Amino acid sequence: MRTTKLIIFSTISVLLSSCFTAKQMNVAITKSVSEDVIKNVQVSDSNVVLNTEKLEQFTPSAKVTTIHYYFIPAIFYWETRDLLRAEVNNRAYINLFTEVLNKKSKEFNFAEKLHNKKLEISIEATPNEFFYDLKDVTIAGGYYNYMQHFLDIYPTNQKLALSYRITQDMNVVKSGSFSTPFNKSAKNDYAWTSSEGVEHYLKNNRSEFITASETLIQLIANEL
C-alpha cells in the first residue's frame, strides 16, 4: 500500500512539475521584468555618456530555449529531467543601471568633478542569462522507497562588467574596468511552483544587480 501511494504521489508530482514549458517560463520572466524593460531611462548628466553597444537587445522581455527534456516511466523507476536556458532582455538591466547612475552622479557630484571632461561608461556584460534545471527521481520497492525532487535555478559565468574612460579635449586622461560576479542560485524542493521559483530568482537578481551597480559606480567615482 505504501509503495502504491508513493507511486501515485510521484506520478502527480511529475505531471505537475515537469510540464513547465519554455512558453510558461517566458510568461513567468515577462511578469517579473516587463516593467523594467519598457522603461526608457536616459542619462541626466551631460558630462556622462553610457555605452551599451555590446549588449544584445530584442523585442520580447525574454528568450527561453529547451536544452533537453526526457521522461523515463517504468514500473518501479520514474525519472524526469528538464533543462531550460533563459535570456532576459538587456533593456531591463540598462534601465536599472541608468537609474542608479543618475542617482549616483548627483550624490558624487559628477558635474563638478568632471568640469570640462567627459566620462564614458560602457556596460560590457550583464547577468541576464540563467538556467532552470529540474530533476525528479522515484524508486519504489517492497522494502525500499526513494524519491528525490531537485529544482535549481542558477546563473553560469554571469557578471556585471563595466569599463570607463575619462576624456578631455578628445584625449583619454584615465581609463579602467571593474566587474562583479553573479553566482547565487535558487534551490528548493516543493516549497515553490516552477513559476514562483523563477520569479524568486529574478527578484534576487534584480536586487543584487542594483547593489552591484552602486558599488561599481562608486569605484568609478573614486577615479574622477
Side-chain angles (χ1 to χ4, degrees):
M1 179 65 69
R2 183 182 175 188
T3 300
T4 303
K5 288 182 178 179
L6 180 60
I7 294 174
I8 293 172
F9 177 76
S10 301
T11 303
I12 294 172
S13 171
V14 168
L15 291 174
L16 290 176
S17 60
S18 64
C19 62
F20 191 57
T21 64
K23 182 177 180 180
Q24 289 172 318
M25 186 169 175
N26 203 312
V27 170
I29 296 172
T30 299
K31 178 181 176 181
S32 297
V33 306
S34 60
E35 288 187 11
D36 290 326
V37 171
I38 63 177
K39 290 187 292 192
N40 185 22
V41 187
Q42 302 296 318
V43 176
S44 59
D45 193 325
S46 60
N47 290 324
V48 179
V49 176
L50 182 60
N51 185 346
T52 61
E53 293 178 357
K54 291 188 177 181
L55 303 182
E56 181 186 3
Q57 298 177 52
F58 38 84
T59 301
S61 293
K63 292 193 295 187
V64 182
T65 306
T66 300
I67 303 300
H68 64 243
Y69 172 80
Y70 64 80
F71 177 44
I72 304 173
I75 297 176
F76 297 108
Y77 181 87
W78 295 61
E79 179 179 341
T80 184
R81 182 74 184 277
D82 197 2
L83 181 62
L84 304 174
R85 173 178 173 268
E87 293 177 86
V88 178
N89 192 336
N90 271 309
R91 182 87 245 142
Y93 295 93
I94 292 170
N95 283 322
L96 287 173
F97 183 85
T98 306
E99 288 178 339
V100 176
L101 179 59
N102 288 340
K103 176 184 174 182
K104 291 299 180 181
S105 66
K106 293 179 181 178
E107 181 180 331
F108 298 129
N109 201 358
F110 278 13
E112 182 177 329
K113 288 184 177 181
L114 287 168
H115 190 48
N116 61 343
K117 293 183 281 238
K118 289 280 187 182
L119 169 63
E120 180 182 341
I121 298 176
S122 297
I123 305 179
E124 306 289 341
T126 67
N128 75 317
E129 179 184 294
F130 66 94
F131 291 86
Y132 168 98
D133 192 356
L134 171 71
K135 185 176 182 180
D136 264 306
V137 176
T138 299
I139 302 173
Y143 298 97
Y144 175 77
N145 297 313
Y146 171 83
M147 183 171 62
Q148 180 191 51
H149 174 86
F150 180 79
L151 173 60
D152 193 6
I153 302 170
Y154 58 89
T156 300
N157 299 322
Q158 295 297 287
K159 63 183 177 179
L160 170 60
L162 306 178
S163 65
Y164 76 93
R165 63 176 189 169
I166 303 168
T167 60
Q168 184 174 22
D169 299 326
M170 304 299 289
N171 297 314
V172 178
V173 177
K174 187 181 289 188
S175 63
S177 61
F178 299 103
S179 67
T180 185
F182 280 67
N183 49 31
K184 292 183 180 179
S185 63
K187 294 183 175 70
N188 73 96
D189 43 27
Y190 290 102
W192 301 320
T193 64
S194 294
S195 293
E196 289 170 342
V198 170
E199 291 167 17
H200 179 83
Y201 172 84
L202 289 171
K203 179 180 179 181
N204 288 344
N205 176 267
R206 184 182 191 275
S207 177
E208 187 180 357
F209 179 81
I210 291 173
T211 299
S213 297
E214 291 173 340
T215 300
L216 297 191
I217 290 171
Q218 183 166 351
L219 293 175
I220 293 175
N222 294 342
E223 300 296 311
L224 301 182

